[in-house]
Amino acid sequence: MKKLTLLTSSLVLAASFSIFSLPAAAQDLTAADRERIEARKNAKTQLPGERVGRVITKALELYNEEKIDEAIAVLVDADPSGDFDKAFLYRFLGNIYAFKDIPQAIKYLELAVKPDVLGFNDQAAALKILADLQIQEGRFKVAIESYRRWMRFTGENDPDAYLRIANAHFQLGEYDKVVPAADNAIRFAKEPNKNHYLMKMGAFYELKRYPETVATVETMVQLFPEEKTYWIYLGNFYTLVEDYTKSLSAFQIAYSQGFLEKESEFKALGQMYANNNIPYKAATIYEKYVKSGQIKKDRTMLSAIASNFQAAREFSKAAEYYGELAKLTNEADAYRRQGMALMSVQRYPDAITAFNAALSRDADRPGSIHLNILEAYFYQGKLKEAYAALQQAKKDPSTSRQVRSWDSYIKDRAKTKGISL
């Protein structure tokens, strides 16, 4: 299964200069937490010193002229004094570095947030972009802590942050930690989000907790019934818990809605019909999409079509496809199976041709095939030919018992009819 990628460069860059609009205080905050957050929000706005202000203004002008390197040079050459001026300049420098050198951006943003002296919005923005850049650089462990630090600072239970935490745990292979993070993303989202459920589904699947995987996808198809892949996931995951009836139902719904498009999906539908003892539907689904070219006509598929028609007692169709299989593979067993299907519809001459084709290809247990030929001749009333086939069957020790019973039976019938063997 593909792992979810939840960050893009454009998202990071857009976020780097954003002003955060914060929602109402989130759930699960204590009174002390709320008081702390409100005090920080309402604190008097502090401005950088005049010298740092001039540097920032100059750098911003250069940035707006798309002279990023020059803007960075102006900021790097500055020599701010005091924790606030340093943090203010480092945040601005980190934001600009995010466009060209993410490790450097992370370095300066870490310096900016460490003293915790920036105004509420600036500190929150710096913490958030720091986490975003860390996860983009694959620094998943520190990114997890940065997102949690941002949520503690702002009081937000942000579903996107929880999703990114879940993704970081997923990338680290910590699948057991993915689920609670994904659940928090689901809990705090204003509307159902597909990515939250996909993350949870993926974690349960990797943990081999298949009943929970199924339950998650059952929720997904209820919330997002138009998503065709979710129905296919559901059908496939039901097989993991060996619930083939529900698997077939999921695939039938997907099929009726036109959601099945790939060869593997049509094959899965056919297999579910077969698993539910509906061989005729299995055979006709396979046949339809082999003829349309959406399923490759190969040995496996021809064998599946033929055997399912055989199980459905559609012997003429079974013989047709065993014949195609025989032409494709030139294998004795395919000819033998074709002969048996032809016997079932009393096409004895054609059956004999198929049986002889099997013998000419060094079939296993030739004695049993000679006995099949014997029967085909016998049911046509050709006792001499049947007796000749019996003599060939005698050469195979594995069929000695059947040969004895047929021997006396054919002789008696020939005597009654006055036929000399």
Side-chain angles (χ1 to χ4, degrees):
M1 174 176 297
K2 291 184 178 180
K3 297 179 180 178
L4 299 179
T5 302
L6 304 174
L7 292 175
T8 65
S9 298
S10 60
L11 173 63
V12 170
L13 298 181
S16 64
F17 287 95
S18 64
I19 301 297
F20 286 75
S21 59
L22 300 175
Q27 301 182 47
D28 300 335
L29 294 177
T30 66
D33 290 331
R34 295 178 188 278
E35 184 177 344
R36 169 185 58 77
I37 292 167
E38 287 304 312
R40 186 64 175 268
K41 284 183 181 179
N42 296 325
K44 183 179 178 181
T45 302
Q46 185 176 353
L47 298 175
E50 183 178 350
R51 184 158 57 89
V52 170
R54 287 198 302 269
V55 170
I56 295 291
T57 300
K58 178 62 176 175
L60 186 57
E61 290 174 354
L62 291 167
Y63 167 78
N64 288 333
E65 296 172 5
E66 299 186 359
K67 296 178 179 179
I68 295 178
D69 290 338
E70 292 85 344
I72 289 173
V74 167
L75 293 168
V76 170
D77 288 342
D79 187 20
S81 60
D83 286 345
F84 179 81
D85 280 8
K86 288 179 180 178
F88 195 89
L89 185 139
Y90 291 152
R91 174 179 176 258
F92 199 85
L93 188 55
N95 286 343
I96 293 181
Y97 261 125
F99 288 87
K100 61 171 297 177
D101 190 335
I102 291 178
Q104 282 292 94
I106 290 172
K107 169 188 169 182
Y108 282 105
L109 287 168
E110 286 175 340
L111 291 171
V113 300
K114 185 176 182 181
D116 195 16
V117 294
L118 293 170
F120 183 84
N121 285 346
D122 287 345
Q123 182 77 0
L127 286 167
K128 182 62 162 59
I129 187 60
L130 174 61
D132 289 346
L133 293 175
Q134 286 169 335
I135 205 169
Q136 183 169 325
E137 284 292 285
R139 297 174 59 182
F140 300 117
K141 286 188 179 295
V142 292
I144 290 168
E145 181 51 39
S146 292
Y147 282 120
R148 295 192 183 282
R149 182 180 176 188
W150 173 71
M151 286 192 284
R152 286 194 300 269
F153 179 82
T154 61
E156 286 194 62
N157 277 311
D158 182 74
D160 184 62
Y162 279 121
L163 180 59
R164 291 165 186 248
I165 290 170
N167 183 50
H169 283 305
F170 198 101
Q171 300 293 340
L172 291 166
E174 298 171 347
Y175 305 118
D176 56 327
K177 296 180 181 178
V178 172
V179 174
D183 278 336
N184 277 328
I186 292 168
R187 174 187 177 190
F188 294 110
K190 292 181 179 179
E191 295 180 354
N193 184 305
K194 299 171 187 176
N195 287 332
H196 301 168
Y197 290 93
L198 283 168
M199 184 65 69
K200 186 175 179 180
M201 177 196 78
F204 278 136
Y205 179 79
E206 294 292 342
L207 290 166
K208 295 182 170 55
R209 291 167 59 178
Y210 299 135
E212 291 98 326
T213 308
V214 168
T216 302
V217 184
E218 286 176 334
T219 301
M220 290 164 66
V221 298
Q222 293 175 36
L223 292 173
F224 316 106
E226 75 286 353
E227 287 292 330
K228 61 182 182 181
T229 55
Y230 299 172
W231 290 100
I232 296 165
Y233 289 158
L234 185 60
N236 286 325
F237 288 148
Y238 275 133
T239 67
L240 298 178
V241 294
E242 298 182 0
D243 194 334
Y244 300 117
T245 301
K246 287 185 178 180
S247 179
L248 176 58
S249 295
F251 276 112
Q252 285 176 320
I253 292 170
Y255 185 64
S256 68
Q257 296 296 315
F259 291 163
L260 304 188
E261 297 175 346
K262 299 177 182 177
E263 178 182 44
S264 60
E265 295 163 0
F266 293 124
K267 285 183 176 180
L269 174 61
Q271 185 62 53
M272 285 309 103
Y273 277 122
N275 288 349
N276 282 276
N277 297 314
I278 312 174
Y280 182 77
K281 288 292 291 183
T284 54
I285 284 290
Y286 290 146
E287 181 183 44
K288 177 179 179 179
Y289 291 102
V290 164
K291 286 183 175 179
S292 73
Q294 289 168 278
I295 293 180
K296 182 181 179 182
K297 182 191 288 189
D298 59 15
R299 172 180 179 171
T300 300
M301 190 47 53
L302 289 173
S303 180
I305 297 172
S307 61
N308 277 288
F309 273 132
Q310 180 91 10
R313 303 187 67 78
E314 292 286 335
F315 299 116
S316 292
K317 295 289 287 186
E320 175 188 342
Y321 280 98
Y322 278 129
E324 286 200 41
L325 178 64
K327 290 177 183 177
L328 179 68
T329 64
N330 199 36
E331 291 180 351
D333 190 62
Y335 282 107
R336 183 189 66 79
R337 290 176 183 273
Q338 182 189 29
M340 295 300 295
L342 291 166
M343 287 282 287
S344 298
V345 290
Q346 301 179 14
R347 290 171 56 185
Y348 300 123
D350 292 333
I352 292 168
T353 299
F355 288 137
N356 282 325
L359 289 171
S360 69
R361 288 160 177 79
D362 298 322
D364 294 333
R365 299 186 62 191
S368 63
I369 297 177
H370 283 295
L371 283 176
N372 294 142
I373 294 173
L374 180 158
E375 290 184 62
Y377 278 126
F378 182 85
Y379 295 133
Q380 295 178 79
K382 296 180 178 181
L383 299 182
K384 282 190 174 183
E385 291 85 345
Y387 194 70
L390 183 147
Q391 301 310 309
Q392 294 296 320
K394 285 182 177 180
K395 299 176 182 178
D396 187 341
S398 67
T399 54
S400 57
R401 180 175 298 178
Q402 297 97 311
V403 166
R404 286 197 298 270
S405 60
W406 272 106
D407 195 341
S408 58
Y409 187 58
I410 292 173
K411 286 179 179 177
D412 288 345
R413 288 294 296 273
K415 184 178 180 180
T416 300
K417 291 180 175 289
I419 297 173
S420 174
L421 298 177

